[in-house]
């Protein structure tokens, strides 16, 4: 949007207004995210935010990187650039027993000529939780958040500045006294346990692989090329270490944490200065007991010599400092019995053996199934029906059988065999490395079901109203056999399904229709080709630009696309050469699916980059028509409301999205206003 021409006086007033709005928003962010003590209602906050956004849109020259509006905004990157750490990010020595800790303490005492009695308080440690997340370096320049990078190999990681910027508990601007010009901090990005569970639930409903634990989920979220995806993931950050500061010489780790806190950085409260081995062990026991009640995963405690001068004199070994250690927790394990071993068939035909267990509580979660991964693992464990087993959930929500008590085995239970035929469709099972695969492809109902769920999922075709249950129903009633059949569904078909009335049926049909023009890369991802994830799909689409070109591509050409390895290339080429897939693709295209390749520069036009959501019935046009109009002007239509939605267009009888939009403070247009905008 062009900036309004303003004279000096006016410009100063606007600048002042913008700065005061930012200050106020920052203060409320601090109260809400750092202190968990909201100062105003969500609606009041949204109003402030909208006002700031409005002013900045009118005066883009006044937008600064530390503005609260800039948390989300960066365009997707092609790859994550390298990030060189100012000082190497060391690792920690892991200790597992009290004796290990005692020996460590003794060694330090000796090296620093202290008494060798660990109950003498002439050596203190600052002890903190060991966050089970992703280690990052965060850089502030002149008190403003400047850059962030993952740990990588400790020397060089990946730059994730835009992604870290979306984490609301990280202040983009520090406030307080004597803030160093250049400040490099170390911390951990974690995913909240609640957020992780919700994310996994959603992934499972959409037929996607869930993450094994919050750490993997946090890593996946942080290393996204598109910061808008990161912004929608429940990430948090705890900063715990000083790497470098211009002209600031704190004396202790305790002082570091307290000063960071005084500048508005959220510091974990579960920390303690310990003057003896006993206190360290008590802290360890205390946190072990608390860990299941925390909303982030911890896998132990970290003890650091508190005195920074002493730290320096103790120095470091090749990869870990001599002044700190991690005292890890025992993984959560419980004993139970295997009642059965069943085989599940996944989207790509992988057969996964699963142990059905006598339900047992493992760290606050009732576990009744545990993955046995694959045949090799079953062999290695020698697990059989009836066996007493130990199940672990080492920070992992997907439990696994880690040990079998062979001594307790009664009689001679039969060894488990992988089936020779798929338990769902009866097709032949083949072996590929450690995996067994069903060869039924689209003819296997299990594969078909999961692939349709995946096709409809949010990051693929985003078909509103087509979740797991509906897909189950459609398959059960023989209404669909593959994704192309979705486009043949009629309202009368749907109305005959249990729980479907006029509105629900219409919404589903609209969802299917609205999904026809999704970006090419989402379509490609939605096809569920082995090894072709979202980012790879984007790389492939940027190279080819159309399905026709992909169909013709040689293995060599695909392999030559930067970032696409030989295994992925093989999988893509095989997919397009398979006659069944070709037939389905023809049907999809014939039935109106016309994925559009978005070149990066293409987003021009008066609505460039704007996200629209339509809810309710429009009088003058259908929703797909409205989406096309928006797209023609450079904008795009989405299937769900989030803070990233720019406009919600509400027709008659709008649905729940209307309320959500209001709650989020998204601008709502009625049909008249929308038509005016199109003009
Ligand atoms: S201090 C040189 N403090 O644990 C000091 N690390 O296994 C090294 N970690 O890579 C880091 N919580 O990512 C420190 N309170 C904490 C921590 C912590 C988690 C991670 C860190 C490190 C890993 C070592």
């Amino acid at each position: 949007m062009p900036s309004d021409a303003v004279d000096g006086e006016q410009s100063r007033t606007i600048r002042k207004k913008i700065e005061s709005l930012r200050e106020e928003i920052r203060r409320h962010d601090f109260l809400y995210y750092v202190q968990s003590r909201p100062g105003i209602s969500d609606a009041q906050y949204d109003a402030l935010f909208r006002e700031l956004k409005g002013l900045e849109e009118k005066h883009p020259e006044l937008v600064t990187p530390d503005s609260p509006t800039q948390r989300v905004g960066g365009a997707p990157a092609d790859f994550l650039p390298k990030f060189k750490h100012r000082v190497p990010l060391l690792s920690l020595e892991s200790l597992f027993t009290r004796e290990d800790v005692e020996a460590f303490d003794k060694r330090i005492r000796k090296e620093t000529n202290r008494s060798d009695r660990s109950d003498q308080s002439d050596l203190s440690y600052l002890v903190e939780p060991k966050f089970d997340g992703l280690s990052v370096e965060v850089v502030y320049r002149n008190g403003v958040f400047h850059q962030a990078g993952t740990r990588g190999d400790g020397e060089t990681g990946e730059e994730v500045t835009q992604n870290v910027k979306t984490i609301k508990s990280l202040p983009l601007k520090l406030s307080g006294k004597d803030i160093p010009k250049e400040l490099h901090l170390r911390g951990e990005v974690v995913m909240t346990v609640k957020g992780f569970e919700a994310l996994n639930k959603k992934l499972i409903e959409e037929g996607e692989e869930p993450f094994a634990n919050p750490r993997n989920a946090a890593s996946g979220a942080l290393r996204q090329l598109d910061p808008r995806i990161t912004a929608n993931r429940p990430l948090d950050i705890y900063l715990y270490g000083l790497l470098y500061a211009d002209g600031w010489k704190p004396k202790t780790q305790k002082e570091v944490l307290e000063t960071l806190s005084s500048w508005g950085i959220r510091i974990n409260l579960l920390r303690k200065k310990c003057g003896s081995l006993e206190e360290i062990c008590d802290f360890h026991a205390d946190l072990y007991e608390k860990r299941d009640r925390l909303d982030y995963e911890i896998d132990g405690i970290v003890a650091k010599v508190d005195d920074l001068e002493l730290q320096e004199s103790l120095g470091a070994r090749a990869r870990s400092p001599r002044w700190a250690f991690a005292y890890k927790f025992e993984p959560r394990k419980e004993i139970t019995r295997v009642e059965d071993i069943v085989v599940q068939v996944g989207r790509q035909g992988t057969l996964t053996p699963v142990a059905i267990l006598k339900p047992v509580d493992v760290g606050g979660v009732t576990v009744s199934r545990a993955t046995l991964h694959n045949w090799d693992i079953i062999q290695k464990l020698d697990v059989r029906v009836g066996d007493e087993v130990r199940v672990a959930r080492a920070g992992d929500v997907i439990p696994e059988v880690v040990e079998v008590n062979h001594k307790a085995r009664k009689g001679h239970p039969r060894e488990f065999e992988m089936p020779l035929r798929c338990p769902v469709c009866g097709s032949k099972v083949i072996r590929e490395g450690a995996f067994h695969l069903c060869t039924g492809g689209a003819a296997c109902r299990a594969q078909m079901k999961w692939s349709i769920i995946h096709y409809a999922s949010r990051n693929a075709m985003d078909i509103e109203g087509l979740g797991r249950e509906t897909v189950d129903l459609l398959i059960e009633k023989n209404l669909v056999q593959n994704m192309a059949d979705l486009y043949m569904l009629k309202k009368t078909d749907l109305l005959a399904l249990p729980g479907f009335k006029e509105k629900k049926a219409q919404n589903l049909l609209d969802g299917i229709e609205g999904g026809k023009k999704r970006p090419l890369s989402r379509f490609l991802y939605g096809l569920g080709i082995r090894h072709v994830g979202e980012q790879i799909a984007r790389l492939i689409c940027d190279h080819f630009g159309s399905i026709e070109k992909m169909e013709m591509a040689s293995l060599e050409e695909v392999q030559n696309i930067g970032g696409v390895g030989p295994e992925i290339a093989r999988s893509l080429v095989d997919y397009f050469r398979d006659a069944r897939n070709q037939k389905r693709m023809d049907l999809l295209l014939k039935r109106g699916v016309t994925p559009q390749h978005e070149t990066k520069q293409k987003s021009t036009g008066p609505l460039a980059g704007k996200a629209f959501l339509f809810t309710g019935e429009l009088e003058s046009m259908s929703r797909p028509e409205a989406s096309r109009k928006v797209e023609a002007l450079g904008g795009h239509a989405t299937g769900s409301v989030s803070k990233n939605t720019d406009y919600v267009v509400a027709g008659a009888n709008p649905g729940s999205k209307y309320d959500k939009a209001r709650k989020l403070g998204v601008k709502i247009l009625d049909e008249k206003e929308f038509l005016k905008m199109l003009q």
Side-chain angles (χ1 to χ4, degrees), residues 90 92 128-131 135 186 188 240 302 304 321 323:
L90 298 175
L92 286 171
E128 309 157 8
K130 182 171 183 312
F131 306 101
S135 194
R186 181 164 180 184
E188 205 85 355
Y240 52 67
V302 178
K304 303 170 186 174
W323 44 263

Side-chain angles (χ1 to χ4, degrees), residues 217-232:
S219 166
L222 197 65
R223 300 176 57 248
Q224 286 289 338
L225 295 178
D226 186 347
R228 285 169 303 189
I229 298 179
T230 316
N232 286 322

Side-chain angles (χ1 to χ4, degrees), residues 77-86 137 139 146-162 223 225:
D78 286 334
F79 63 97
L80 294 169
K82 286 201 162 55
F83 182 93
K84 181 109 186 67
H85 297 294
R86 169 104 202 195
E137 173 175 347
V139 184
H146 174 62
Q147 259 187 338
T150 63
R151 176 165 182 269
D153 62 5
E155 302 276 341
T156 312
E158 290 167 319
E159 199 208 307
V160 285
T161 306
Q162 293 306 326
R223 300 176 57 248
L225 295 178

Side-chain angles (χ1 to χ4, degrees), residues 88-94 126-136 151 186-190 238-241 243 253 268 297-304 311 316 319-326 328:
L89 300 199
L90 298 175
S91 184
L92 286 171
E93 182 173 343
S94 286
L126 200 85
V127 192
E128 309 157 8
K130 182 171 183 312
F131 306 101
D132 196 6
L134 202 72
S135 194
V136 289
R151 176 165 182 269
R186 181 164 180 184
E188 205 85 355
V189 170
V190 297
Y238 288 104
L239 295 171
Y240 52 67
L243 294 166
Q253 167 72 3
N268 191 274
E297 280 284 352
I298 60 174
D299 58 345
I301 62 168
V302 178
K304 303 170 186 174
Q311 283 190 3
R319 298 189 49 231
S320 53
R322 287 200 179 81
W323 44 263
F325 60 85
K328 302 276 285 262

Side-chain angles (χ1 to χ4, degrees), residues 82 84 137 154 161 164 457 509 516 637 670:
K82 286 201 162 55
K84 181 109 186 67
E137 173 175 347
T161 306
V164 166
S457 68
L509 290 176
K516 281 185 174 170
D670 61 25

Side-chain angles (χ1 to χ4, degrees), residues 461-465 487 489 491 494 502-516 518 614-618 622-625 627 639 657:
M461 300 299 266
D462 193 13
I463 302 182
E464 187 77 20
Y487 302 98
L489 286 172
K491 202 187 263 179
L494 298 178
E502 173 65 30
K503 189 156 182 180
K504 190 166 172 185
Q506 188 57 49
N507 282 348
L508 178 55
L509 290 176
D510 286 349
I512 293 171
E513 187 64 28
K516 281 185 174 170
R518 295 278 178 252
F614 298 97
T615 175
E617 296 135 38
L618 298 178
S622 70
R623 283 195 234 165
E625 220 175 309
S627 306
K657 287 176 193 158

Side-chain angles (χ1 to χ4, degrees), residues 327-385:
Y327 183 9
K328 302 276 285 262
F329 293 149
E330 275 262 308
R332 303 169 170 112
K333 280 185 200 163
E334 292 301 334
I335 291 175
T336 184
R337 197 166 287 285
V338 177
E339 294 185 330
D340 198 1
I341 299 178
V342 299
V343 171
Q344 272 180 353
V345 185
R347 168 160 59 88
Q348 288 162 338
T350 317
L351 267 54
T352 307
V354 177
I356 306 295
L357 305 166
K358 182 164 175 255
V360 60
D361 183 307
V362 188
V365 174
T366 305
V367 173
S368 53
R369 300 162 78 85
T371 176
L372 293 166
H373 302 286
N374 58 48
W375 173 238
D376 287 358
I377 299 218
I378 295 198
Q379 291 266 288
K380 211 150 108 208
L381 287 167
D382 181 20
V383 55
R384 304 183 193 185
V385 173

